[in-house]
Amino acid sequence: MLGLRSFTQVYSALASVPNRARPPSSAIPLIGILILATLLRLYGLFDWPLEQDELYTVRDSVEFNISTVYKRPLYFFLQHLILQMFPLSVAALRLMPFVFGVAGVLATWHLAKNAFGTTAAWFSALLVAVAPWHIYTSQFARYWTLVYLLAAVTYLLLIQGLVDDRRRTYLLTLVTLILGSVTHPTFAFPVAGALIGTLLVSDQGRLSLTWPTRRAWEYLWGPVLALGAVGLVVLAAVGIDAVDFNLSREVEATRRVIPAIIEWLSPVIVTAGLLGTTYLATRSHPRDRRWGIMTALGGTVGLGVLLAISTLNSIYSIYFTAALPLLFATVGGLVQRAAESSSIRRPAVTTGCALVLIAAMLPGTVSHLSDGTRFDYRPVFDHIRRSEAAQRKVVSWPAAVHHHYASDLPYRASRLDSASLQRVLDEEGSFWLILRRRRYGIDAIGGVPTRQVLQWISNNCRNVQEFFRPRVDYREYRLQLYSCEQGMSAPKLDAISQPPE
């Protein structure tokens, strides 16, 4: 009875607290979402293997040199400062992506709330919290969560500047534009489309060119155009050396960019984003229409520029990261507007939409929790160490991963073509071969290997073992270990070239 009486007294005391002393009701689901986002990003954060690009982050950050990373210096400079304070470790490398990742969820909440309202805010933030794309980048020691965060803040400031027309808002927008652009150049592509979109809808909701205010010209548009002109002059002065042209680019990788974006986000989320963009862009409400146009142009310009650049260099789906805040906020806005216009109770509509959209991303999220959405070479190297032929040369890609995790195992560099592999076999007599296999087939530097290469492997190598963790989505990260020896029989070609069912 004493315990019950004490509980009753505590409850009565809390109930008597003035409303102004309690957190707002919208803060409770936001706190829950941030806790969920934190836990999902902490899981495996220190255990997933370092990837090739993460090892390059070490290289570019430990001895920071602006002349080598001048196209994307901000992240490497910040990482350099962290490594001055903490010893080099996986935790030190992934601290920033993790922090920026959780901050990106919060930024998405503010962006959607400012654009549409509280329902859209918690809905959009929840989608980002469980999105496998964003969880992966939050555990990947590169700049992509910073790109996402700065993009979300930029879009928020853009729509805020249209409302208050304040110098402070424009200057903050200009700062985030500069910071985002020096984090990674792909930041600027969707942001440029969204920036143009702010000018194409009048305050009455009509589609027409709206000239920026004098204050906007002075503190945002003028400096942006001036900086753009300076950039073009510098690019023209430096010439071809300013761009990394990769004449051996992976053409197949370019063709897979759009399908990879759709698959990583899930077709349902992409469809919801397209429906939301179309619905909002055709509404008469000025702010909704302006947001719809911003999203349409941000996505179109961002993707269009990437595909255009692909004629000069390889591009990947992760380069589309800066457009994602537009997509997630648009989906949240669509749900809020649907709930407002529905005859069904609003909680039922939002809950139903949340269940459908989260279920669409859940296979990717669960799969990421299984294998980290990356190749893990460590079990392969351990298998080689335990074998009787541990001193054979190992041919694998990328070399940086081998040197980091298996510096004790002899390494032999080679191209993945039949002539190069035959030369290694003639000189070594036998060697280990590690191949990376995705759903579409063998993944290799320079593109998918030809049938001639696969035939050579079939004739000269034996499949020893495959290393992978189970996934429930379409993606696959499988490592195949082969023992290549002179005069040995091997599996049929189809066992190598055909993806599993």
Side-chain angles (χ1 to χ4, degrees), residues 199-328:
L199 303 179
L200 300 183
V201 178
S202 69
D203 292 337
Q204 293 73 39
R206 294 192 300 270
L207 287 176
S208 62
L209 181 62
T210 304
W211 206 245
T213 64
R214 179 178 178 179
R215 189 174 286 111
W217 268 113
E218 291 177 349
Y219 298 105
L220 179 60
W221 285 94
V224 166
L225 293 176
L227 290 172
V230 170
L232 291 176
V233 170
V234 171
L235 185 63
V238 175
I240 194 171
D241 292 335
V243 183
D244 289 331
F245 292 113
N246 180 8
L247 299 181
S248 61
R249 63 189 180 277
E250 300 178 35
V251 177
E252 288 298 323
T254 299
R255 295 173 181 172
R256 289 192 297 266
V257 167
I258 295 178
I261 290 173
I262 296 173
E263 188 274 331
W264 209 351
L265 288 168
S266 90
V268 175
I269 296 293
V270 173
T271 301
L274 293 174
L275 290 175
T277 300
T278 303
Y279 171 73
L280 295 171
T282 54
R283 292 199 75 197
S284 59
H285 190 282
R287 294 190 66 178
D288 282 4
R289 171 168 281 191
R290 184 179 291 115
W291 180 266
I293 297 298
M294 287 174 59
T295 302
L297 285 179
T300 302
V301 172
L303 190 57
V305 174
L306 286 180
L307 294 178
I309 291 176
S310 71
T311 61
L312 303 175
N313 206 345
S314 298
I315 64 168
Y316 306 96
S317 55
I318 202 169
Y319 289 0
F320 196 61
T321 297
L324 297 188
L326 292 171
L327 173 71
F328 286 118

Side-chain angles (χ1 to χ4, degrees), residues 301-379:
V301 172
L303 190 57
V305 174
L306 286 180
L307 294 178
I309 291 176
S310 71
T311 61
L312 303 175
N313 206 345
S314 298
I315 64 168
Y316 306 96
S317 55
I318 202 169
Y319 289 0
F320 196 61
T321 297
L324 297 188
L326 292 171
L327 173 71
F328 286 118
T330 296
V331 175
L334 175 64
V335 171
Q336 173 152 342
R337 295 297 181 252
E340 291 170 349
S341 61
S342 175
S343 58
I344 307 174
R345 295 183 61 186
R346 182 180 298 185
V349 174
T350 54
T351 302
C353 291
L355 291 175
V356 170
L357 294 175
I358 290 176
M361 289 193 294
L362 199 57
T365 304
V366 172
S367 296
H368 175 80
L369 297 178
S370 174
D371 70 355
T373 313
R374 64 196 72 199
F375 295 99
D376 189 352
Y377 285 80
R378 294 171 298 182

Side-chain angles (χ1 to χ4, degrees), residues 151-165:
V153 173
T154 300
Y155 301 137
L156 172 61
L157 291 172
L158 282 177
I159 59 177
Q160 184 62 37
L162 293 171
V163 175
D164 60 26
D165 192 36

